[in-house]
Amino acid sequence: MPSILSTSTSAHSRTRAALFTVPLVAIGVLGTAAAPAVATTPPPPKSLTCRGEGIDPHALVRYRTEAVIHAPLRTIWKLQTDVKRWPSWQAAVTTTERLDHGPLRKGSAFRWTTPVPPNPTTPATSLEITSTVEQLKHHSCIRWTGPAVGEGLRIDGVHVWNFTRVRGGVRVSTEETHTGAEVEANVPAATKILRQGLEAWLRDLKTAAEAPTHNQAH
């Protein structure tokens, strides 16, 4: 933006200078007068990580959300890592299959399916997702990656979960990124679908973990 250096005292020049001064103050280039506004702007939250690894920093489609779940951490962790039982408490998960055995750990893989609503670039479809656990810290975090394939659609995803004890329960935070030609063709629509999916997942996890019968069983 050009500097306002005019020294004319005409009404036209003063008006022109005043009009230019407003946006300059707003974006903080006039120095101390704008400093308080800049100082009070909160920095963007850092991306979630697990053992130092996070989401795809170059992905155009991304979403992050969190919720406090009033249940023991062991209950929440069991629900989240026992992937074979996801369909019993997640409405959006239709099938799951572990591709290895034993507790979920680094290198574990699982295949699962979930419906995807129609959007401006692809029809309604069912995604088959093959996820591989890349990082895991017991009762703390999980990070998995993998492709999701459906009719006319392929998504490469990175998904991170953090579990933090807080007063009265556990704060569960999740962040996911999607890449692929179809989702990148309409980023707002793809981001909306991702947002709806993650928020529904957290709601279902909260409902399942806080259920009295489930807590009594654990």
Side-chain angles (χ1 to χ4, degrees):
M1 183 175 290
S3 301
I4 307 303
L5 300 178
S6 174
T7 58
S8 171
T9 58
S10 68
H12 176 75
S13 296
R14 289 196 303 272
T15 301
R16 184 171 180 272
L19 290 174
F20 273 87
T21 299
V22 173
L24 287 173
V25 170
I27 63 174
V29 297
L30 291 186
T32 56
V38 174
T40 57
T41 301
K46 292 182 179 179
S47 292
L48 300 179
T49 62
C50 185
R51 294 192 178 275
E53 299 295 329
I55 46 85
D56 183 344
H58 305 295
L60 299 179
V61 179
R62 63 178 63 200
Y63 190 70
R64 174 177 173 173
T65 188
E66 63 181 36
V68 173
I69 300 178
H70 302 287
L73 177 55
R74 66 181 182 276
T75 297
I76 300 167
W77 183 261
K78 174 66 173 176
L79 284 165
Q80 186 73 328
T81 59
D82 188 1
V83 299
K84 291 187 294 184
R85 295 185 59 81
W86 281 0
S88 69
W89 59 268
Q90 282 200 72
V93 177
T94 50
T95 66
T96 56
E97 176 190 6
R98 275 290 298 271
L99 303 180
D100 63 328
H101 302 284
L104 203 69
R105 59 196 181 277
K106 181 177 179 178
S108 289
F110 51 98
R111 184 175 295 118
W112 51 295
T113 56
T114 185
V116 174
N119 65 76
T121 58
T122 60
T125 186
S126 179
L127 285 180
E128 182 179 87
I129 307 164
T130 303
S131 298
T132 301
V133 177
E134 305 290 353
Q135 285 81 27
L136 183 148
K137 185 176 180 181
H138 186 68
H139 282 183
S140 178
C141 65
I142 312 170
R143 176 181 178 268
W144 62 63
T145 65
V149 180
E151 182 182 354
L153 178 63
R154 179 191 167 99
I155 300 169
D156 287 295
V158 182
H159 201 166
V160 182
W161 293 85
N162 284 184
F163 305 82
T164 308
R165 284 188 175 94
V166 295
R167 183 182 295 275
V170 177
R171 183 174 65 249
V172 181
S173 306
T174 183
E175 186 171 17
E176 186 171 5
T177 53
H178 288 171
T179 56
E182 293 81 16
V183 294
E184 290 165 4
N186 193 327
V187 171
T191 302
K192 179 181 178 181
I193 292 171
L194 176 58
R195 173 180 60 80
Q196 292 171 338
L198 290 185
E199 291 181 352
W201 193 327
L202 270 184
R203 284 195 304 270
D204 287 348
L205 180 59
K206 181 178 176 70
T207 298
E210 293 179 353
T213 54
H214 192 96
N215 280 321
Q216 288 169 8
H218 289 75

